Amino acid sequence: MPNRLARERSPYLLQHANNPVDWFPWGEEAFAKARAEEKPIFLSIGYSTCHWCHVMEHESFEEVSIADVMNRHFVPVKVDREERPDVDRVYMTFVQATTGAGGWPMSVWLTPDLRPFFGGTYFPPSSRWGRPGFIDVLTEISRAWRDERPRILQSADSILSRLKDATTGGDSLPERAPVAGLDAIDAGTRAFAQAFDSRHGGFGGAPKFPRPSELLFLLNAYALRGDEEAKKMALETLRGMAMGGMRDHVGGGFHRYSVDAEWRVPHFEKMLYDQAQLVLAYLEAAQASGDPFYAAVAEDTLDYVVRDLTSPAGGFYSAEDADSPEFINSPTHQLTNSPTPEVTNSHNSREGAFYVFTAAEIDALMGDDAPIVRRRFGIEEGGNAPADPQGEFRGFNLLYIAQSIEDVAVRTGGDVDCVMRVLRRARKTLFDARASRPRPHLDDKVIAAWNGLMIAAMARAARQMVDSPRRQEWLTGAIRAATFVRERLWRATERRISRRYRDGDAAVDGFCEDYACMAYGLIELFQATGDTAWLEWAIDLTSVQTELFFDSRDGGWYSTTGNDPSVLLRLKEDYDGAEPAASSVTVRNLIRLAQLTGEASYLERAQATLERYGPGLAQVVRVMPMMAANLALWHARRTEIVIAGTSGESGFEGIERVVAGRYLPWSVVAPLDPGRLQASGTSARMPWLAAMTLKDGRATAYVCQDFACQTPTSDPDELSTQLGDAMAARRILA
């Protein structure tokens, strides 16, 4: 019989709706039961594409004997961390502070008034791998709650008090510090250099996570300081990820992280926020390097998002699972005409099952082309996983770029053109074969913040890859997603955004990152379209975000409004991890909005936030790389590039191409249709554009710094010279 979670919309909660555990969603019903029965709460936090969440569910939450203990002695509560990052942050702070580590599934025991007193992550059903068994933990906590409750309550009080002291300021007014200088950027580059893996790219050893904000910082540092080492670290890391097994070489897109130091063995889930940020990183790398390889990777990643993570209505889905049901991995099966593969029960799902191939499958599928495919993708008879912690890849091959096309040609006696034709055929063949397999679970909820990041990526791609035949597809995708969020998650009369949409239901009031990331996407969309409606909405979102989350006393941005009494800590998120911190995104938005509108208050709030960290930012660049990238933007001579004209105007595409080819991370682009200037409201919001018109009926570019503009030009060569001068000027000043 389904439990209460059957009434929820979260895919993660619905996955547990048929557990024998008497789950409650986070809310007053659960809290009231805990108070009335004087029971502790067992809080389990995860998300629907989390591999170890699935493992713990199967081992413990589906086990009737364990569920009986949970139901008798605790009030079990489930939380989807992607819907409720506010709840997740509070208890992750506790778990990290008390255990030194964190992750999901997260398991926390609370008093009836929600104070945490014990926690961890994954617990096996019985003791193994040096971890206590879940049933043993449940039994001991139940005993302690019965026999030692005063001690537990006192401990919970003490822990919560210390967490509040550590995460909030005191009563005295904070001391203001100056914004960190350029030496902080240099110090940050040195810190990355010390951890850089010069052989494989990335920083440190295994496991390796893609943190695009690190690469954004390094590329921005290169642009401002001319630091070639910073550029090299970013480019080699991006190349290493793209060549390794962390990238899906058949279907496009990137997996969550690499379990080894060589980027060979991925954790196979695919997250929307990774795709968005990596597209932006590869686009910036393409501009900074002039190497089309990076743009091709960005394009391939966008193809995956358009195909597999876009809803029919235009919003972007959240993720695909690492696990998928096992099927008969044999060449004879792959070559049959059976419409569906043989699937075992759901508990036989295996990580990466959808993505891996045996050598025999490759031979059967590719025929005479198999030797080329084997060499290119490192196919081995017994499987090729250099690391396999759970023994899930025995006999299977994880595709990665093992040899260059030139090397493959030499070793197979062919030529480069022949090898390229074979590989194009091979990709389609492997894609079609894989399509017959049961797909990983799709988390089809739409998250506002993550959609903002992907809108930014698609809009930037459309603006930068001007010669791609897919350009209009990306621009349309960005517009459709922005329209989806505006129509389904934005409550215009209340001026509030909802965080999550699924199955016709918008829910959960947006958090700081939802406002920040959507504004970020809309600013990029304005730069790609020139449509002031997107800029106006970005300004409105930023205004509401300021009202709800800005700390005018100490600078920075709270993650929550502080209005929900069940969320015990009002935190500021500083860490730029898998997702950039809301404060980091917001400072970038504010600087961009100041450039576009000339409104000084935006810079004042950005400065107040940067002053919150002061020169000490130099010591924590690896913790806050996107905020440090904002520091580069702060010190640069910011540039405005206005392109007056439309795609039908003479010379318009040539001007676009020149702008797209320059790496100017501190510039904003304002496409301007002079014929629509007054009607669109652009002149009211940006009056400095009023005098910028076409010259001699031709598309015209205006390059401005600090609102002082160079000579308008319709000549792409002259524009290129002006942009080069703008870049050189900043390096001299630096």
Side-chain angles (χ1 to χ4, degrees), residues 22 108 119 122 143 188 225 256 332 338 348 360 388-389 401 417 450 452 481 511 550 584 602 610 626 665 673 713 719:
D22 189 18
V108 192
Y122 163 78
R143 183 208 62 76
R225 305 293 276 163
R256 178 72 277 275
T332 54
S338 173
N348 288 327
D388 188 8
I401 304 302
D417 289 341
W450 302 356
F511 303 104
F550 184 61
S584 297
Y602 293 128
L610 288 169
M626 189 164 181
D673 180 352
T713 183
L719 174 60

Side-chain angles (χ1 to χ4, degrees), residues 30 38 48 54 101 121 128 263 305 322 344 396 420 490 650 672 682:
E38 296 186 346
S48 80
H54 301 329
T121 53
R128 61 175 183 257
W263 306 108
V305 173
T344 60
F396 292 101
M420 291 179 67
W490 175 241
S650 174
L672 174 64
T682 306

Side-chain angles (χ1 to χ4, degrees), residues 68 217 224 274 436 493 519 639 683 702:
D68 182 58
F217 164 76
L224 183 66
D274 282 328
S436 69
T493 55
T639 303
S683 59
Y702 296 78

Side-chain angles (χ1 to χ4, degrees), residues 403-713:
Q403 294 181 7
S404 70
I405 289 174
E406 292 76 11
D407 284 345
V408 173
V410 169
R411 293 172 184 274
T412 57
D415 58 55
V416 167
D417 289 341
C418 172
V419 170
M420 291 179 67
R421 287 195 298 272
V422 168
L423 293 177
R424 282 194 291 269
R425 288 198 302 270
R427 187 175 190 188
K428 184 179 188 309
T429 299
L430 295 175
F431 182 89
D432 290 344
R434 211 173 71 171
S436 69
R437 303 174 177 180
R439 287 195 66 88
H441 157 70
L442 172 70
D443 188 318
D444 61 353
K445 66 178 181 291
V446 176
I447 298 290
W450 302 356
N451 272 247
L453 292 173
M454 184 49 71
I455 290 166
M458 284 198 171
R460 179 87 65 85
R463 177 159 60 93
Q464 183 173 322
M465 291 196 278
V466 296
D467 294 317
S468 172
R470 294 183 174 88
R471 183 188 188 192
Q472 188 57 50
E473 178 183 38
W474 301 328
L475 190 59
T476 299
I479 292 170
R480 290 184 72 224
T483 303
F484 180 98
V485 174
R486 184 173 59 189
E487 292 178 350
R488 291 169 171 80
L489 287 105
W490 175 241
R491 310 191 302 273
T493 55
E494 302 173 52
R495 296 177 69 239
R496 295 292 185 270
I497 199 166
S498 296
R499 177 166 175 82
R500 185 270 292 154
Y501 178 92
R502 183 175 186 270
D503 194 24
D505 178 63
V508 187
D509 283 344
F511 303 104
C512 189
E513 63 255 44
D514 296 300
Y515 290 87
C517 291
M518 270 306 301
Y520 178 56
L522 294 170
I523 293 168
E524 287 289 344
L525 189 53
F526 166 73
Q527 294 181 83
T529 63
D531 186 343
T532 318
W534 303 122
L535 180 62
E536 292 289 351
W537 189 21
I539 290 169
D540 201 17
L541 285 169
T542 303
S543 174
V544 176
Q545 182 190 353
T546 300
E547 295 170 14
L548 297 178
F549 305 104
F550 184 61
D551 182 356
S552 58
R553 174 180 175 274
D554 191 27
W557 305 80
Y558 290 107
S559 298
T560 63
T561 62
N563 295 331
D564 185 343
S566 73
V567 181
L568 302 183
L569 301 174
R570 193 182 188 199
L571 301 173
K572 290 179 182 176
E573 184 70 60
D574 292 328
Y575 177 57
D576 294 315
E579 302 169 59
S583 285
S584 297
V585 177
T586 303
V587 169
R588 185 148 290 225
N589 291 347
L590 293 171
I591 295 173
R592 298 296 194 213
L593 290 174
Q595 287 179 265
L596 289 167
T597 68
E599 174 57 55
S601 64
Y602 293 128
L603 288 180
E604 290 168 2
R605 290 198 293 277
Q607 180 172 341
T609 304
L610 288 169
E611 287 176 345
R612 177 170 177 256
Y613 309 107
L617 184 56
Q619 279 71 57
V620 292
V621 170
R622 292 206 61 199
V623 177
M624 305 170 60
M626 189 164 181
M627 188 62 77
N630 292 334
L631 187 62
L633 186 62
W634 179 265
H635 286 296
R637 285 188 65 195
R638 295 179 285 276
T639 303
E640 296 79 45
I641 303 168
V642 179
I643 304 176
T646 66
S647 58
E649 236 85 50
S650 174
F652 186 82
E653 284 78 10
I655 287 175
E656 277 193 312
R657 193 171 291 111
V658 170
V659 174
R662 284 283 184 175
Y663 185 49
L664 293 168
W666 38 78
S667 68
V668 292
V669 176
L672 174 64
D673 180 352
R676 296 175 53 212
L677 182 61
Q678 298 298 329
S680 67
T682 306
S683 59
R685 181 62 71 179
M686 295 177 286
W688 55 282
L689 296 179
M692 296 182 177
T693 60
L694 278 66
K695 300 299 181 185
D696 302 322
R698 301 183 65 200
T700 305
Y702 296 78
V703 178
C704 310
Q705 287 183 316
D706 303 323
F707 299 102
C709 299
Q710 300 186 45
T711 304
T713 183

Side-chain angles (χ1 to χ4, degrees), residues 82 270-272 316-320 443 445-447 450:
E82 295 172 348
K270 288 179 171 179
M271 310 300 296
L272 178 66
F316 299 119
Y317 295 137
S318 294
E320 286 194 296
D443 188 318
K445 66 178 181 291
V446 176
I447 298 290
W450 302 356

